[in-house]
Amino acid sequence: MSNIKYILGSFGDPDEMMHGIEKLQENNIKIHDVYTPMPIHGIEAKLGVKRSRLDILAFFCGITGTVSAFALIYLTSVVDWKHNIGGKPAFALPDFIPIMFEVTILFCAFGLVGSYYASTHLFPGRAPRVMDLRATDDRFIIAVDAQENGDHGKIDGLLKEAGALEVKHNERKYISYE
Amino acid sequence: MSGHNESILREPLITGNDITYAKITDDILMPVENKPNRAWWIGFIVSLMGATLWLVAVSYTFWNGIGSWGLNKTVGWAWDITGFVWWVGIGHAGTLISAVLLLFRQNWRNSINRSAEAMTIFAVICAATYVVSHMGRPWLAYWVLPLPNQFGSLWVNFNSPLVWDMFAISTYFSVSLLFWYTGLLPDIATIRDRATGLRRRIYSIFSFGWNGNVKTWQRFETVSLILAGISTPLVLSVHTIVSMDFATSVIPGWHTTIFPPYFVAGAIFSGFAMVLTLLLVARKVLGLENYITMFHIESMNKIIILTGSIVGVAYITEFFIAWYSGSEYEAYAFINRSTGPYWWAYWMMMTCNVISPQLLWFKKIRLSIPATWILSIVVNIGMWFERFVIIVTSLHRDYLPSSWAMFYPTWVDVSVFVGSIGVFFTLFLLFLRVLPSIAIAEVKLLLKTSSEQAKLEQIKEGHLDKTHVKEYVESLEKFDSVKQEEYAKI
């Protein structure tokens, strides 16, 4: 068994990379992941990445914000400590709306971004796990798990045929910065 | 990109013939990865002097109280609120560019959104310093927050627009910051992967471990879209609420239902003017002409004509309604604005905000960089005067002639304002040095569809008939970097 962990096809053009994905899939070679310097549309359908449910979550975070804001205002200025302002009613719903709206947005945004960071494992100071340093610059990288797929020569050939500028065999999982 | 097709007749969003993905990264990171040039240093030193002035003036205010400002019993709000509203307004263009234009799929936003968002953050910081310093006792600023406290159960007054303001501005600031920072992650990762040593370590911490895999990108786009969706009503609500600080009062000149839309239009107007002021200089100094093209400048100028005209209509409507309402106090407030002791401020506002932006209807002016730059500054001056006119002229004449008074700013007023501009520019110049001023990943998205070479390729492949090619080439004449001969070769 060789020490190679990943086979990386490095493409200079997103369309060629998409072509590479198709080629590998036609040959029943499982793709580990794809790393790109920019979002490539249509790739998630090809790789079978599920639709994000962050929108549903954002909605519920927003609702939580609306309810929290209403509860805070109601409990403080209607139940706990009524102000008499020009004899106006304490329960003045239209006056509560601006704050309810702002808090809705606040909860929605923080809930959404927090969950995004959590679900994609992004947090400050996390060691970057890149396989190829140029994947954030000008290269589109297809990574194939070498242990799962036996015929390395065939994979190399397919990637090159699709237009890969370079095929690398990584012995380490990631090029981290340690 | 697959799934995205753009008409070939559209002007390219990236000019220059030999652009590659690597060149985009190199060009945009040039100011971040190299030592600053002389222009940057001059700008930075001047801005830093302004920031020092601000520090002195604000410290003086904190030490001696707001008695050091020129306020009096009649004019209780003046330069502080003028400055606050002006800065918040400037901040709005950033969110508008990043959120509203994203929702409407305006790809030209991709080259300008990053700096515009940065501008938003810094402008809101300047606005927030005004709010804190005009409180008089800034060490008690936390009293505006609804916190459980030791005064019995005394809570903030949730019916007050000033409390709404606190919620609006703090939400706006934090959501803008989230939006901006999340958008920065892929670009920070790009800097990280090109850097070495300590720089790599620092950028590594701030890149949150970004590696650009499929799921991260896919979720990233979902997050951007949802954030844009919620930021759009947010940005409209913020200036609406700021306008309610005035509109919910019963002061003639303030008590107006037109304020919310009028303030929002004014905010976009001044914000775009400030984006132009900054970017026209930045694109030249940082050599980014290929990414911030004449098309971008023209598009922003068109938004300035639109919002400037809305603001103009609002001024006239306000005046008309003051007369039509039959309220003599309201009518007096407006006649006094235009002919009273502050007539010069009113007419300064009219000239700068209503008359001069109309010059942009002329294509020559719209496409002239010096003219655009001067007009953008004129608009910002005009918008400052607008807020000054609303605030000071409405207050200096009370219902009782015995309390009629004039407002004269002191050196502290002037220094806080001039200083806040220094703070803003200092922060912006530092931003240009440490973070990419253009969203690298988003610009790369345009390379295969909206760049000069993508269009050339399409012409070469014969996707257009000859008359259309001619039309296209003619439309490009106005761009800096395009030469007719290059098309003649095809």
Side-chain angles (χ1 to χ4, degrees):
Chain A
M1 197 82 189
S2 68
N3 288 329
I4 301 165
K5 286 216 163 104
Y6 285 96
I7 302 173
L8 306 180
S10 173
F11 293 82
D13 183 285
D15 291 338
E16 283 170 3
M17 181 204 67
M18 293 290 250
H19 189 51
I21 295 175
E22 278 163 18
K23 282 223 155 190
L24 291 174
Q25 284 176 338
E26 278 165 17
N27 287 277
N28 291 325
I29 294 164
K30 209 174 149 248
I31 292 163
H32 171 71
D33 211 337
V34 173
Y35 302 87
T36 54
M38 66 209 205
I40 308 290
H41 298 146
I43 196 170
E44 58 273 12
K46 269 208 173 86
L47 290 177
V49 176
K50 275 190 201 144
R51 185 189 158 276
S52 160
R53 283 170 300 184
L54 283 168
D55 45 0
I56 301 169
L57 178 123
F59 176 77
F60 284 105
C61 289
I63 294 288
T64 314
T66 322
V67 174
S68 312
F70 179 77
L72 173 76
I73 304 173
Y74 188 81
L75 291 174
T76 53
S77 43
V78 182
V79 179
D80 192 23
W81 191 274
K82 287 184 192 173
H83 286 291
N84 185 346
I85 303 159
K88 288 170 192 159
F91 184 50
L93 190 60
D95 285 2
F96 300 172
I97 288 172
I99 294 175
M100 283 162 64
F101 173 78
E102 299 298 333
V103 178
T104 304
I105 304 276
L106 190 72
F107 273 51
C108 180
F110 274 87
L112 172 71
V113 175
S115 322
Y116 168 64
Y117 288 165
S119 70
T120 48
H121 310 289
L122 295 170
F123 55 86
R126 180 178 191 244
R129 294 181 172 176
V130 288
M131 294 200 178
D132 187 317
L133 287 179
R134 290 180 68 178
T136 50
D137 185 354
D138 63 337
R139 288 295 169 86
F140 301 80
I141 312 285
I142 302 178
V144 179
D145 194 329
Q147 313 281 344
E148 279 178 19
N149 299 285
D151 195 352
H152 295 179
K154 188 181 167 194
I155 299 171
D156 293 0
L158 287 170
L159 289 169
K160 284 230 165 99
E161 224 175 276
L165 300 174
E166 206 182 343
V167 177
K168 279 193 213 166
H169 288 186
N170 273 13
E171 289 190 2
R172 279 169 61 195
K173 196 169 179 188
Y174 299 112
I175 312 172
S176 286
Y177 298 137
E178 65 265 11
Chain B
M1 216 49 29
S2 39
H4 172 76
N5 289 306
E6 200 179 272
S7 163
I8 191 168
L9 290 174
R10 283 243 177 115
E11 292 91 341
L13 296 174
I14 305 174
T15 56
N17 283 326
D18 50 350
I19 307 277
T20 58
Y21 292 114
K23 191 169 185 303
I24 293 177
T25 320
D26 288 342
D27 285 352
I28 297 173
L29 289 185
M30 194 266 294
V32 180
E33 292 176 337
N34 294 292
K35 286 207 167 103
N37 56 14
R38 189 191 290 247
W40 186 88
W41 274 114
I42 294 171
F44 186 68
I45 289 167
V46 173
S47 313
L48 210 58
M49 278 155 60
T52 315
L53 182 67
W54 177 84
L55 206 65
V56 170
V58 169
S59 311
Y60 189 88
T61 308
F62 285 0
W63 194 258
N64 294 300
I66 29 182
S68 56
W69 294 352
L71 304 173
N72 53 52
K73 243 187 136 176
T74 312
V75 186
W77 279 11
W79 277 46
D80 47 341
I81 306 296
T82 304
F84 161 70
V85 183
W86 190 69
W87 278 120
V88 175
I90 284 174
H92 279 34
T95 321
L96 199 95
I97 289 170
S98 56
V100 182
L101 298 184
L102 176 69
L103 288 184
F104 287 113
R105 307 276 178 207
Q106 293 296 306
N107 285 334
W108 60 272
R109 72 178 266 290
N110 291 15
S111 314
I112 53 172
N113 68 339
R114 173 67 45 73
S115 349
E117 284 166 31
M119 186 193 82
T120 297
I121 310 274
F122 306 145
V124 177
I125 290 174
C126 289
T129 60
Y130 267 112
V131 177
V132 174
S133 60
H134 98 291
M135 284 175 171
R137 286 189 283 169
W139 50 93
L140 299 177
Y142 67 92
W143 280 10
V144 300
L145 301 170
L147 296 170
N149 54 64
Q150 69 273 48
F151 311 119
S153 359
L154 183 62
W155 294 87
V156 291
N157 177 8
F158 288 104
N159 301 305
S160 161
L162 297 174
V163 172
W164 304 349
D165 237 4
M166 194 282 299
F167 273 92
I169 303 290
S170 48
T171 302
Y172 183 51
F173 180 72
S174 40
V175 173
S176 300
L177 196 65
L178 269 187
F179 199 179
W180 182 61
Y181 199 80
T182 307
L184 265 167
L185 288 178
D187 293 355
I188 297 178
T190 306
I191 306 177
R192 173 198 74 198
D193 290 347
R194 289 159 59 99
T196 49
L198 184 64
R199 269 171 61 84
R200 168 174 280 191
R201 246 191 234 168
I202 294 169
Y203 281 103
S204 176
I205 293 168
F206 290 108
S207 73
F208 286 22
W210 179 277
N211 64 2
N213 68 355
V214 174
K215 190 180 155 194
T216 315
W217 272 124
Q218 189 222 3
R219 306 302 199 242
F220 176 85
E221 293 218 292
T222 312
V223 168
S224 306
L225 202 63
I226 299 173
L227 280 181
I230 59 172
S231 301
T232 303
L234 176 68
V235 71
L236 301 182
S237 81
V238 171
H239 229 56
T240 298
I241 291 175
V242 168
S243 81
M244 284 172 181
D245 293 345
F246 305 103
T248 56
S249 72
V250 286
I251 308 282
W254 284 5
H255 187 51
T256 323
T257 47
I258 201 175
F259 264 24
Y262 151 38
F263 267 51
V264 171
I268 297 164
F269 182 51
S270 62
F272 269 92
M274 189 57 107
V275 173
L276 275 173
T277 312
L278 293 175
L279 286 187
L280 287 176
V281 179
R283 84 193 266 274
K284 189 82 203 158
V285 176
L286 308 179
L288 297 171
E289 284 100 334
N290 277 338
Y291 306 98
I292 302 167
T293 66
M294 289 310 295
F295 177 76
H296 292 94
I297 296 168
E298 195 187 357
S299 305
M300 286 192 268
N301 276 333
K302 284 176 182 169
I303 293 180
I304 290 185
I305 305 175
L306 174 74
T307 47
S309 306
I310 297 176
V311 168
V313 169
Y315 293 162
I316 297 163
T317 310
E318 244 190 334
F319 222 114
F320 170 75
I321 294 296
W323 164 75
Y324 188 68
S325 65
S327 158
E328 55 183 308
Y329 302 106
E330 194 75 22
Y332 174 76
F334 278 84
I335 289 166
N336 180 52
R337 254 183 207 185
S338 55
T339 58
Y342 284 109
W343 65 270
W344 50 273
Y346 183 82
W347 291 105
M348 184 82 179
M349 160 189 110
M350 286 303 250
T351 319
C352 294
N353 285 355
V354 185
I355 301 163
S356 29
Q358 300 303 324
L359 290 172
L360 292 169
W361 285 104
F362 298 102
K363 199 165 186 170
K364 270 231 167 100
I365 296 179
R366 212 159 63 218
L367 292 174
S368 149
I369 292 175
T372 303
W373 197 67
I374 291 167
L375 277 174
S376 72
I377 292 172
V378 166
V379 167
N380 274 317
I381 295 172
M383 284 309 291
W384 187 87
F385 272 99
E386 180 201 293
R387 277 71 190 248
F388 178 80
V389 165
I390 291 172
I391 294 160
V392 175
T393 66
S394 305
L395 285 177
H396 83 296
R397 290 288 177 265
D398 204 336
Y399 286 106
L400 292 171
S402 60
S403 37
W404 286 7
M406 292 292 284
F407 168 77
Y408 299 103
T410 63
W411 70 269
V412 187
D413 280 299
V414 180
S415 307
V416 172
F417 177 65
V418 174
S420 71
I421 298 175
V423 171
F424 176 76
F425 278 98
T426 307
L427 292 171
F428 192 78
L429 286 165
L430 284 175
F431 155 74
L432 291 182
R433 294 277 308 124
V434 296
L435 293 168
S437 52
I438 292 180
I440 306 174
E442 293 186 34
V443 168
K444 281 179 185 160
L445 267 179
L446 304 173
L447 185 67
K448 287 208 87 175
T449 50
S450 319
S451 68
E452 188 68 56
Q453 77 216 56
K455 309 239 167 187
L456 280 173
E457 193 65 35
Q458 279 172 288
I459 295 176
K460 237 183 228 170
E461 286 167 8
H463 292 302
L464 272 189
D465 57 48
K466 281 211 172 124
T467 49
H468 276 130
V469 172
K470 202 168 155 258
E471 250 172 61
Y472 173 64
V473 174
E474 278 168 6
S475 83
L476 289 177
E477 272 177 13
K478 59 189 180 190
F479 292 98
D480 295 315
S481 60
V482 179
K483 290 188 191 78
Q484 284 274 6
E485 308 92 70
E486 281 157 19
Y487 289 90
K489 285 180 208 154
I490 305 167

